[in-house]
Amino acid sequence: MKYLIFICFSVAFLSSLTEATLGWDGIQAVDVNGFKCLSQNGYSFYIARVWRSIGSADPTGIQNIKNARQAGWKYVDGYIFPCFKKSCGSAKDQVKATLDQLSKDKAKIGMIWLDIEVENWPADKSANQAFILDMAKQAEAMGTKVGIYTNKNNWEQIVGTDWSGVSDKPLWYAHWDGQQNFNGFNAFGGWKKPAIHQFEGDVKGPCGVSMDKNWYP
């Protein structure tokens, strides 16, 4: 009986590992062979930076999307790191410019993630809430699914922990605890459960790629 229990536990454990999905995000240029190498090392989704905080599209991220697709990757997204200089344009303008550039370059993504982390955001939380809503609405108006990248600390400083204006969007949360699970997640912003966990950051991954590591069940 003990042996049978062990076998059942082992099968369930291995099954849970196979069902889980490992991915990465990063800004390093990776060619087609690099993505094939990453795939051989267990990675199956990629999220590229497609808009930079300097207020322009990221050509490296866009090319990476195309390389990933050419390497056979099915799950490829992009993220926008917004700019707050007047010269960068409004929230809607930045999203439109991003998606227009992706379309022009024929870089296909499944979803656009809005990177909401403390860097140059104004102090006015109400204005920040409006900025995020404008970004999300513009992307959806252009037929693109939207997700939010953040964590509780960033959310609290930028819009306030209890603001739940985009809680209907999937959450990609950063918590570098090295754990491929959601156990360390504490609810905020109306989210009860995340969609993706960025569990390790700024590391040297396989195939010579610097990356943040991500997981979802």
Side-chain angles (χ1 to χ4, degrees):
M1 177 61 73
K2 287 182 181 178
Y3 181 73
L4 180 59
I5 291 171
F6 175 76
I7 291 292
C8 291
F9 173 80
S10 299
V11 169
F13 178 72
L14 289 172
S15 173
S16 70
L17 285 180
T18 4
E19 289 172 2
T21 307
L22 189 63
W24 73 284
D25 67 276
I27 59 175
Q28 175 182 332
V30 178
D31 61 17
V32 175
N33 287 331
F35 276 100
K36 288 180 179 179
C37 176
L38 288 168
S39 180
Q40 292 164 2
N41 279 270
Y43 289 80
S44 59
F45 74 91
Y46 169 59
I47 306 176
R49 184 180 69 181
V50 292
W51 186 263
R52 300 172 289 187
S53 59
I54 58 174
S56 62
D58 185 339
T60 301
I62 292 173
Q63 185 60 50
N64 278 353
I65 290 169
K66 297 167 72 173
N67 292 344
R69 293 293 189 189
Q70 193 176 335
W73 286 45
K74 294 181 180 178
Y75 306 109
V76 184
D77 292 345
Y79 73 86
I80 290 176
F81 203 122
C83 173
F84 301 100
K85 297 176 183 175
K86 289 182 180 179
S87 57
C88 295
S90 68
K92 291 183 177 181
D93 289 341
Q94 292 182 54
V95 171
K96 185 177 186 305
T98 302
L99 297 181
D100 283 348
Q101 191 66 52
L102 287 168
S103 177
K104 179 182 176 183
D105 292 340
K106 297 180 180 178
K108 184 183 176 184
I109 59 169
M111 176 178 288
I112 196 74
W113 297 86
L114 309 179
D115 190 330
I116 314 300
E117 58 181 300
V118 178
E119 185 171 329
N120 301 322
W121 280 82
D124 187 339
K125 291 182 179 179
S126 295
N128 293 341
Q129 293 167 10
F131 191 96
I132 292 167
L133 285 173
D134 281 348
M135 284 197 293
K137 287 174 183 175
Q138 181 62 38
E140 289 175 336
M142 296 177 72
T144 304
K145 294 179 181 178
V146 178
I148 305 295
Y149 169 87
T150 192
N151 62 24
K152 190 172 185 178
N153 178 57
N154 284 288
W155 200 248
E156 181 177 11
Q157 293 186 56
I158 294 168
V159 295
T161 309
D162 297 329
W163 185 66
S164 58
V166 285
S167 61
D168 59 324
K169 318 298 180 199
L171 173 65
W172 168 22
Y173 90 109
H175 181 50
W176 296 354
D177 58 1
Q179 302 297 311
Q180 295 181 42
N181 54 51
F182 293 148
N183 294 348
F185 177 73
N186 293 312
F188 69 94
W191 289 290
K192 303 301 181 188
K193 185 179 179 182
I196 303 176
H197 178 195
Q198 187 184 80
F199 65 90
E200 199 171 353
D202 296 334
V203 297
K204 196 74 173 177
C207 312
V209 177
S210 297
M211 61 171 62
D212 299 328
K213 294 182 179 182
N214 300 277
W215 170 93
Y216 65 78

